[in-house]
């Protein structure tokens, strides 16, 4: 079974139904009018710029449209890092593995379900869940590596200074897309 089908099954269930919490991406009337649309566009242009697939204008346009649509559906402002989270789902359409590439609706449904399930702080306007993650991370560091925790604390380095990109992108920005 190909990667796209596995993601679909894990995130949306065995029934194969699209995400019941959102309208399909194909049903959206494109309106690229978010208050921070320039930030979305700039992030799309920067996303995985070392890979030819993500330099393609059609892929960048699709990424911008999907991110904008997600923000409009959630009634939430775009937050930097979302571009890195959607990139692996869009890359499933590259069809380099020889499987059946997912449709735009399937990519968007998987992206939305992934955020809802694994990254709840993107829905938060004030990032309270993310701040809680930093507190937990600090406690884990203190428990498992007290020497490192104390060294960082003595030097005034808090977890939000170095693990923000990890948590915001769920490590997607540093993970290779080709396995």
């Amino acid at each position: 079974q190909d990667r796209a089908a596995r993601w679909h099954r894990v995130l949306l269930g065995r029934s194969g139904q699209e995400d019941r919490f959102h309208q399909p991406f194909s049903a959206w009337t494109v309106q690229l009018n978010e208050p921070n649309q320039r930030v979305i566009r700039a992030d799309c242009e920067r996303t995985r710029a070392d890979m030819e697939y993500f330099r393609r204008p059609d892929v960048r346009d699709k990424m911008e449209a999907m991110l904008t649509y997600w923000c409009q559906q959630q009634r939430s402002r775009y937050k930097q890092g979302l571009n890195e989270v959607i990139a692996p789902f869009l890359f499933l359409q590259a069809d380099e593995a020889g499987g059946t590439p997912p449709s735009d609706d399937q990519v968007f449904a998987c992206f939305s379900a992934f955020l809802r399930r694994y990254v709840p702080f993107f829905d938060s306007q004030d990032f309270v869940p993310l701040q809680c993650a930093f507190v937990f991370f600090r406690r884990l560091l203190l428990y498992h590596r007290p020497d490192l925790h104390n060294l960082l604390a003595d030097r005034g380095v808090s977890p939000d200074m170095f693990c923000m990109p990890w948590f915001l992108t769920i490590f997607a920005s540093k993970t290779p897309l080709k396995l």
Side-chain angles (χ1 to χ4, degrees), residues 28-157:
W28 180 54
T29 304
V30 178
Q31 296 177 359
L32 302 176
N33 59 1
E34 286 297 294
N36 55 351
Q37 194 68 44
R38 289 183 307 150
V39 175
I40 299 172
R41 185 170 298 116
D43 277 0
C44 292
E45 290 172 5
R46 280 192 290 264
T47 304
R48 305 283 179 148
D50 58 323
M51 298 179 68
E52 180 185 342
Y53 179 75
F54 289 103
R55 289 192 304 264
R56 290 178 22 196
D58 62 315
V59 173
R60 287 180 175 177
D61 290 347
K62 186 186 307 183
M63 181 184 293
E64 180 181 2
M66 286 185 176
L67 291 171
T68 302
Y69 183 44
W70 184 85
C71 292
Q72 291 173 359
Q73 277 194 336
Q74 297 300 310
R75 292 180 174 83
S76 177
R77 288 184 56 94
Y78 172 78
K79 295 175 183 74
Q80 290 186 303
L82 281 170
N83 57 312
E84 293 291 350
V85 177
I86 199 171
F89 295 108
L90 278 171
F91 190 68
L92 294 172
Q93 292 183 325
D95 193 28
E96 292 184 4
T100 305
S103 68
D104 290 349
D105 287 341
Q106 290 170 324
V107 167
F108 185 77
C110 285
F111 166 68
S112 297
F114 183 85
L115 288 177
R116 189 174 45 261
R117 184 178 294 178
Y118 299 111
V119 199
F121 46 78
F122 274 119
D123 282 341
S124 170
Q125 293 297 330
D126 53 7
F127 280 113
V128 169
L130 182 60
Q131 296 303 319
C132 290
F134 293 145
V135 170
F136 286 126
F137 183 79
R138 183 183 309 226
R139 298 290 184 227
L140 283 169
L141 194 58
L142 178 61
Y143 180 78
H144 290 286
R145 290 292 310 270
D147 55 331
L148 181 57
H149 172 273
N150 293 336
L151 176 74
L152 293 171
D154 289 347
R155 297 215 163 73
V157 179

Side-chain angles (χ1 to χ4, degrees), residues 15-32:
S15 67
Q17 292 179 339
E18 297 304 318
D19 185 358
R20 68 182 186 276
F21 296 102
H22 295 92
Q23 293 294 318
F25 177 70
S26 60
W28 180 54
T29 304
V30 178
Q31 296 177 359
L32 302 176

